[in-house]
Every structure is written in structure tokens, then in C-alpha cells.
């Protein structure tokens, strides 16, 4: 692989990202612009942006690597990532947009009228976001290492610096443009090498040979090719985590507030499903080709198969050029997901931790936007330090744990909060705490040394199948026990969440955002 | 102001019935979609588990699991989403006309 061409391609992605980011800077002026792009992004732009943000290192590199190493059962990853958006569509998309909240803690506080629930949510946003940023940095390190041989910290540092500059400079508006561009870049980068290989390959070795014959056990589902016990349980539990975790990812939720209304939120999601389906056709093909052309990668964890395959099939300039394209696409994946996560985490740090303190320290003499910029820096420093400490975990594994945590905390909060009028504030808090502790404990045990085998290992490795029902059950039982703690404004909240915008009704007060800074947002408060 | 929206604003018993019927129609639709997904997607691992030959069965030169999980799932999910959105918007249009008219 030729480092010069690949580095040029990565450089172009970085320049384009910063360029579009600066273009966005000129149109974002108020705090409201920063958070939600003034809620006026059209469904097509928004759908490209949502897909661009969602397709992370785990999708671009991780899925192909997992399928290559562990076989057909891993195809469920891309299926689950996609069906997660269908679940988001039918359960939360329109009501969440109609809630009018900027962030998850905003939603929680308005619906449950409780600063305590808000603070638990803020902590979970930072926790899930950090857990999800780790594999992005890991992927960036891996990509730069594969291309140049530099240590992993270099690639991670490049992504961290660019993301902080971009988020601090332009906020959400510029990110919408950046991410819409990056979806199409990622799709092109992943699809082109496959098409070239399929078109020009005329050798006796067929490109689909790895799927058939005596050595094709890896291509069978439930074959234990991945060395897992209880593959059926693992499959169902993984599917549950991915399907119901997507709606609880902080960067996914923030993105939905940029739709103009509930109807647009639904229509945007349908376009997203088409774009995701198109993208996920390609990663399994890398695994199939990888089994033939790069079988040695099976023993290395496989995360680099997408980057290395073009060079293995076409030694020489053609392979270098295709390899450079793929490296550029991978960098787009790290940058876009990390940007979205950083905006979401920074928004929470800004509103819930930083702004009131800055206000007190400076006696009110500061600009709200500066607080957001400091928050963006903090949001990236923490995962970067964690990355340098934890080192290498498999890409999709870390992501899987983030999904399990989201499915066990925010999923019950959102689903029951939107559809069940008898949910109490105590029930909401209890569900978040119980689901959060159970899923985090499983993640910790998993990282620090999983049990050797059998059921304990299966239950800890894929915890969602028990942690998610446990969280739902906790919310329901505690709510039944504390009927006097059902929020007084529940009926009005339900009107707000479910009534179409065309109906002229009293929706109650807008969510309390930026409580101490109404002066900084004249557009809404003047 | 139409009486329907006033009933909702003043949270009369009738207004609550209006809201409850809207939420229940949407919830029924949502549960129907989730039920179909659980039935269709959920039966695939079970099929592979109970009928082992399906794990290697060849369809158009590809093993069946790869055809289903690698290709077919995506258009099916997209169509399900389209059907859902059409019905959800129909429910909302009817509700808007109903409470606005009276």
C-alpha cells in the first residue's frame, strides 16, 4: 500500500470537512443555530446527514471485519443497525420531534418535571457518548497505522483535533452539511472497489468460492465459527440491543430536532432506511472477498480488511488508488460520527454542568457560544484519554456495549414516557438507574475479563436480552407502586407529543432549555 | 375556536377521550409493525436453528442466510417503513379534521 496516495486522500477529506464547516460558520449565529440548525433542514439533506453521522467506524470497518472473522452470524449487526431505525420511526420519531426538546435531558425534564431525572439522563448521555467515541478513535488509529505504520495515537489525535475545531467553529449547522457530504463519500468509497473487483476479475478463483465447499463453515449461521457458546441466545440478544439501542444513542436523538415538524421527522427516517440499506449491502462483500484474497487477516481480528482488500486484489497503482479511496471513506466515517457525538455530549456538558458555573464565575459577562466551545473540548478530551489508557478493544464489541446500555436506559424512558400515561417520575428514575447499573456492570465484567464459557459468558457478552426487560419491568412496577408521583402535567405532555402540528391546541410551555441564559437567545425569548 | 380543540385544551372528559383515541390508534399501528418485525425477523434464527439444511441451501449461487440477511432484509424494512408512515399520517389527518370540524 502506498502511504503517499492514501495520505493525500485522507488530507482531502479533512480539508473538505473543515471547508464545509467554515461555510456553515457564516450562517450560524445564535445558540439555537448551533444546537439544531434552526430546525430548517430539508428531509433529504437531513436523511443524508443522519445516515452520514450514523455510519461509524463500526459500520465502515467493523462489520466487514466481524463477518470475516466470525462468520455469517455477524450479518445481524448490519441488519440490527438498520432495523433500529425502523423501531425509532414507529416508537419515537414524531413524538420526540413534537416534544420540542433540544437534548435528551431536556425531554426527560419536561416530561417528568424532575431535575433529578434530568441529571441522571445527562450522566448517561456523557457515558454512552464516550463509550461510542472510543471505537471511533480506535478505528482512526487503526486506519492511519495500516496506511503509514504510525502508532494508533496519531490517527486518533488527528480525528480528535479536527472534530473539536469543526464542532466549536460551526456547531450543528455546519455538521449537517459535512455529514450529508460524508454519507455519499462513504458509500462511494465502499462501493467502488467492489464494483471494480466484480467487473475486472477473470481468474480461475471465483469471487464467491469462499461461500461454498468444504471450508465454508464460517458462512453458516449458528456454526460456532466465532467460538461463542449459545449462538442462538447471542443472536437474539444482539438483535434486541441493536434494534432498541439506536433510539437511545445521544447523537441520533439530537439530529431529530433538526426536522421542521413531526411529519418531516417520519419522512426523513424513511429516507434514512433506504440510504442505510444501500450502504449495508457492501460490508459483507468485503468479508466474502477477504476470505479468498486475505485469509491471513482472519487471525488478526479482521478490522483492517476493508482497508487492505483493494491492495491485495490489485497490487500496483490501481490497488493504491482504490485503497486511498477506502481510507478516505473510513476517515469520513470517524469524523462524522465523532462530530455528532461530540455535539451531543458537548450540548449536555454545556447546559447541565458548565453554563451555570461560567455564569456565576464571570458574573454573567460571557457569550453563551463560548461555553459550548469549551464543552466541545471537554467532550473530546475525556474519550481521548480513555482511548490511550484502554488501548485496543474490537470495534464492534465496544459499540455493541454502548447499544446495550442505550437499550437498557433511554429506550424504556422514551418508549414508556411517550406511550404510557401512568409512568411516574420515581419509576423513570428507578428504570434508568437499574438498567444503567445492570448494563454497565455487564460491560465492565466483559472488558476486565469475561467468564470462561457457558451461560455466564453469553449473558455478560450480550446483556441486552436481560438488562432491557429488567429496566422496563422496573419502570412499570415502581410506577404502579408510586401513583402519587405521576407528573401533574402528563395529560398536557401527551397532547404535546401526539397532536399533529396542524391542530391548534395548547401544548403547554416549551421545554426549559438553557434556564440561566435566556438573554443569549433573543430569537426565542424576546 | 372549534369545540374539539377546546375540549382538549380544557381537558374535559370528552377531550381526554379524543386524545386517548388518537394515541391508541397510533399505538395499535406501532405494535402491528413491531409485531410483524418480531414475527418475520425473529423466526429467521429459529429457522436456521430448527432446520439446519437452510443454513447451506443455495439460492441463485449464494447461501440462503446471506441472501436473506445480506440483501432481502433491506427492501422489506423500507417497505414496512413506507406503509407505517402512510397509515400514521392518515390517522393524523382524520384526527385533525375531526377535532377541527366540530
Amino acid at each position: 500500500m502506498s502511504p503517499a496516495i492514501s495520505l493525500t486522500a485522507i488530507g482531502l477529506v479533512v480539508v473538505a470537512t473543515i471547508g464545509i464547516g467554515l461555510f456553515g460558520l457564516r450562517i450560524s449565529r445564535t445558540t439555537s443555530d448551533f444546537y439544531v440548525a434552526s430546525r430548517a433542514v430539508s428531509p433529504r439533506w437531513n436523511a443524508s446527514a443522519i445516515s452520514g453521522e450514523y455510519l461509524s467506524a463500526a459500520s465502515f470497518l467493523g462489520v466487514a471485519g466481524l463477518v470475516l472473522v466470525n462468520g455469517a452470524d455477524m450479518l445481524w449487526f448490519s441488519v440490527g443497525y438498520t432495523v433500529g431505525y425502523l423501531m425509532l420511526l414507529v416508537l419515537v420519531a414524531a413524538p420526540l420531534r413534537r416534544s420540542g426538546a433540544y437534548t435528551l435531558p431536556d425531554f426527560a425534564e419536561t416530561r417528568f418535571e424532575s431535575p433529578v431525572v434530568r441529571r441522571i439522563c445527562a450522566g448517561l448521555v456523557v457515558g454512552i457518548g464516550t463509550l461510542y467515541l472510543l471505537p471511533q478513535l480506535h478505528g482512526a488509529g487503526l486506519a492511519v497505522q495500516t496506511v503509514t505504520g504510525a502508532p494508533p495515537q496519531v490517527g486518533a489525535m488527528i480525528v480528535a483535533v479536527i472534530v473539536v475545531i469543526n464542532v466549536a467553529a460551526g456547531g450543528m449547522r455546519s455538521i449537517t452539511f459535512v455529514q450529508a457530504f460524508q454519507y455519499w463519500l462513504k458509500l462511494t468509497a465502499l462501493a467502488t472497489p467492489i464494483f471494480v473487483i466484480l467487473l475486472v476479475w477473470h481468474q480461475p478463483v471465483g469471487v464467491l468460492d469462499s461461500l461454498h465447499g468444504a471450508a465454508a463453515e464460517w458462512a453458516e449461521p449458528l456454526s460456532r465459527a466465532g467460538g461463542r457458546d449459545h449462538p442462538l441466545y447471542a443472536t437474539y440478544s444482539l438483535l434486541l440491543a441493536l434494534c432498541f439501542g439506536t433510539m437511545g444513542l445521544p447523537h441520533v436523538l439530537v439530529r431529530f430536532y433538526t426536522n421542521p415538524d413531526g411529519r418531516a421527522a417520519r419522512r426523513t427516517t424513511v429516507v434514512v432506511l433506504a440510504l442505510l440499506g444501500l450502504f449495508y449491502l457492501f460490508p459483507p462483500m468485503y468479508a466474502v472477498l477477504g476470505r479468498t484474497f486475505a485469509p491471513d487477516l482472519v487471525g488478526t481480528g479482521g478490522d483492517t480488511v476493508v482497508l487492505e482488500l483493494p491492495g491485495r486484489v490489485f497490487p500496483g497503482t490501481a490497488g493504491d488508488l482504490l485503497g486511498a479511496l477506502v481510507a478516505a471513506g473510513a476517515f469520513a466515517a470517524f469524523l462524522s460520527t465523532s462530530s455528532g457525538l461530540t455535539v451531543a455530549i458537548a450540548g449536555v456538558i454545556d447546559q447541565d454542568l458548565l453554563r451555570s458555573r461560567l455564569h456565576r464565575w464571570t458574573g454573567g459577562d460571557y457569550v453563551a457560544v463560548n461555553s459550548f466551545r469549551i464543552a466541545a473540548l471537554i467532550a473530546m478530551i475525556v474519550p481521548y484519554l480513555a482511548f490511550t489508557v484502554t488501548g485496543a478493544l474490537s470495534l464492534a464489541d465496544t459499540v455493541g456495549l454502548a447499544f446495550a446500555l442505550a437499550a437498557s436506559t433511554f429506550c424504556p424512558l422514551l418508549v414508556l414516557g411517550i406511550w404510557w400515561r401512568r409512568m411516574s417520575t420515581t419509576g423513570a428514575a428507578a428504570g434508568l438507574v437499574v438498567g444503567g447499573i445492570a448494563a454497565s456492570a455487564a460491560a465492565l465484567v466483559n472488558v476486565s475479563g469475561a467468564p470462561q464459557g457457558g451461560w455466564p459468558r453469553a449473558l455478560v457478552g450480550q446483556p441486552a436480552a436481560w438488562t432491557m426487560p429488567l429496566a422496563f419491568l422496573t419502570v412499570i412496577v415502581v410506577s404502579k407502586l408510586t401513583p402519587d408521583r405521576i407528573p401533574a402535567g402528563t395529560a398536557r405532555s401527551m397532547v404535546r407529543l401526539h397532536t399533529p402540528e396542524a391542530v391548534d391546541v395548547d401544548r403547554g410551555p416549551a421545554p426549559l432549555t438553557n434556564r440561566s441564559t435566556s438573554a443569549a437567545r433573543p430569537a426565542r425569548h424576546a | 375556536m372549534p369545540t374539539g380543540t377546546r375540549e382538549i385544551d380544557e381537558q374535559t372528559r370528552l377531550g381526554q377521550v379524543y386524545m386517548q383515541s388518537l394515541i391508541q390508534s397510533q399505538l395499535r399501528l406501532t405494535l402491528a409493525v413491531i409485531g410483524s418485525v418480531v414475527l418475520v425477523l425473529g423466526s429467521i434464527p429459529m429457522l436456521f436453528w430448527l432446520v439446519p439444511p437452510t443454513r447451506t441451501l443455495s439460492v441463485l449461487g449464494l447461501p440462503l442466510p446471506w441472501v436473506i440477511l445480506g440483501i432481502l432484509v433491506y427492501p422489506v424494512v423500507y417497505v414496512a417503513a413506507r406503509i407505517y408512515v402512510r397509515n400514521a399520517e392518515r390517522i393524523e389527518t382524520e384526527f385533525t379534521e375531526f377535532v377541527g370540524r366540530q
Side-chain angles (χ1 to χ4, degrees):
Chain A
M1 192 178 282
S2 155
I5 302 178
S6 293
L7 283 178
T8 311
I10 291 175
L12 281 176
V13 170
V14 169
V15 170
T17 302
I18 293 177
I20 304 175
L22 289 177
F23 170 68
L25 180 61
R26 286 189 292 155
I27 27 186
S28 61
R29 292 200 185 86
T30 65
T31 311
S32 176
D33 278 337
F34 268 74
Y35 281 122
V36 292
S38 300
R39 297 213 180 119
V41 183
S42 81
R44 283 193 184 170
W45 268 109
N46 215 4
S48 295
I50 290 176
S51 312
E53 178 175 300
Y54 187 58
L55 294 169
S56 66
S59 296
F60 198 92
L61 301 179
V63 170
L66 276 175
V67 178
L68 176 80
V69 175
N70 297 322
D73 284 338
M74 300 296 126
L75 291 171
W76 285 107
F77 265 96
S78 38
V79 174
Y81 289 149
T82 310
V83 176
Y85 264 96
L86 183 63
M87 294 298 120
L88 185 150
L89 169 69
V90 301
L91 283 165
V92 302
L96 202 63
R97 173 58 196 87
R98 285 175 179 144
S99 75
Y102 283 165
T103 66
L104 248 155
D106 282 347
F107 171 83
E109 186 176 18
T110 326
R111 173 67 180 82
F112 298 105
E113 298 160 25
S114 156
V116 176
V117 176
R118 181 191 179 97
R119 274 197 288 277
I120 300 174
C121 286
L124 281 167
V125 165
V126 176
I128 295 172
T130 304
L131 207 54
Y132 210 105
L133 267 173
L134 270 176
Q136 312 308 321
L137 297 175
H138 172 55
L142 205 64
V144 169
Q145 189 174 32
T146 307
V147 172
T148 66
Q153 284 80 0
V154 177
M157 181 58 103
I158 293 174
V159 165
V161 169
I162 292 164
V163 165
V164 169
I165 291 175
N166 212 41
V167 171
M172 192 94 162
R173 166 72 94 171
S174 59
I175 281 185
T176 303
F177 292 123
V178 171
Q179 286 175 340
F181 156 75
Q182 280 169 344
Y183 169 78
W184 295 103
L185 175 62
K186 275 181 259 190
L187 182 66
T188 311
L190 206 60
T192 308
I194 294 289
F195 282 124
V196 173
I197 291 170
L198 293 182
L199 281 177
V200 307
W201 194 251
H202 297 296
Q203 300 292 317
V205 187
V207 287
L208 295 177
D209 281 4
S210 59
L211 286 174
H212 303 284
E217 199 206 3
W218 77 286
E220 289 178 37
L222 307 171
S223 64
R224 295 182 184 232
R228 295 180 307 169
D229 296 311
H230 307 289
L232 191 66
Y233 165 83
T235 301
Y236 277 118
S237 192
L238 171 72
L239 201 53
L240 208 60
L242 299 180
C243 287
F244 294 96
T246 304
M247 72 180 74
L249 297 176
H251 63 305
V252 168
L253 284 171
V254 169
R255 179 53 65 192
F256 267 80
Y257 306 132
T258 53
N259 288 295
D261 57 29
R263 249 168 80 104
R266 285 200 196 103
R267 293 185 167 200
T268 299
T269 315
V270 175
V271 184
V272 169
L273 281 167
L275 296 177
L276 292 183
L278 191 61
F279 181 89
Y280 283 127
L281 292 175
F282 295 100
M285 299 191 201
Y286 278 87
V288 174
L289 295 169
R291 278 270 164 169
T292 303
F293 295 106
D296 54 303
L297 295 180
V298 174
T300 65
D303 280 338
T304 59
V305 63
V306 171
L307 297 164
E308 294 199 37
L309 187 72
R312 299 292 186 96
V313 181
F314 305 107
T317 316
D320 284 347
L321 286 173
L322 290 174
L325 183 64
V326 175
F331 246 74
F334 314 139
L335 288 176
S336 55
T337 303
S338 308
S339 301
L341 285 163
T342 306
V343 167
I345 303 172
V348 166
I349 292 178
D350 174 24
Q351 284 183 34
D352 289 283
L353 299 169
L354 204 57
R355 198 174 286 192
S356 55
R357 291 197 173 86
L358 273 181
H359 197 80
R360 221 179 307 128
W361 293 335
T362 61
D365 179 26
Y366 73 102
V367 183
V369 168
N370 280 338
S371 165
F372 181 78
R373 287 176 176 156
I374 298 168
L377 189 63
I378 299 171
M380 186 50 96
I381 286 178
V382 173
Y384 183 79
L385 290 178
F387 163 76
T388 54
V389 173
T390 57
L393 294 163
S394 164
L395 282 179
D397 274 354
T398 333
V399 169
L401 292 172
F403 271 92
L405 184 55
S408 313
T409 53
F410 286 134
C411 173
L413 182 89
L414 289 169
V415 170
L416 293 174
I418 286 170
W419 296 104
W420 193 40
R421 57 177 66 237
R422 288 200 293 273
M423 181 165 173
S424 78
T425 303
T426 319
L432 288 172
V433 169
V434 169
I437 289 177
S440 317
L444 277 178
V445 172
N446 213 34
V447 169
S448 64
Q452 278 313 299
W455 274 111
R457 181 170 165 190
L459 290 172
V460 168
Q462 296 293 349
W466 58 275
T467 55
M468 189 181 123
L470 179 69
F472 268 94
L473 201 68
T474 307
V475 175
I476 293 169
V477 170
V478 174
S479 292
K480 293 266 186 206
L481 292 175
T482 54
D484 53 318
R485 297 277 290 139
I486 295 172
T490 297
R492 188 73 70 208
S493 293
M494 288 296 171
V495 171
R496 185 180 186 83
L497 292 172
H498 293 282
T499 319
E501 284 82 357
V503 179
D504 179 26
V505 286
D506 176 9
R507 289 156 206 277
L512 299 165
T513 51
N514 315 322
R515 280 151 297 171
S516 56
T517 58
S518 54
R521 299 173 52 239
R524 283 174 66 90
H525 293 274
Chain B
M1 188 181 205
T3 38
T5 51
R6 198 187 309 144
E7 301 280 356
I8 292 172
D9 279 353
E10 291 167 7
Q11 297 186 10
T12 61
R13 185 172 288 182
L14 194 57
Q16 285 175 3
V17 170
Y18 291 163
M19 279 314 298
Q20 224 140 9
S21 90
L22 170 69
I23 294 172
Q24 270 168 13
S25 312
Q26 294 286 24
L27 188 58
R28 263 197 302 274
L29 174 63
T30 291
L31 292 177
V33 175
I34 295 179
S36 317
V37 169
V38 168
L39 209 67
V40 174
L41 268 193
S43 64
I44 295 173
M46 212 40 106
L47 174 76
F48 296 152
W49 182 258
L50 296 174
V51 193
T54 57
R55 299 179 198 174
T56 50
L57 189 70
S58 186
V59 181
L60 303 171
L62 290 169
L64 181 68
W66 290 71
V67 174
I68 296 177
L69 301 181
I71 302 167
L72 279 184
V73 171
Y74 301 108
V76 170
V77 166
Y78 176 74
V79 170
R82 288 288 296 263
I83 294 172
Y84 165 77
V85 169
R86 193 184 309 146
N87 283 286
E89 289 186 355
R90 182 180 50 76
I91 292 171
E92 288 184 351
T93 309
E94 284 170 9
F95 178 80
T96 307
E97 284 172 9
F98 181 73
V99 295
R101 192 177 49 212
Q102 295 165 54

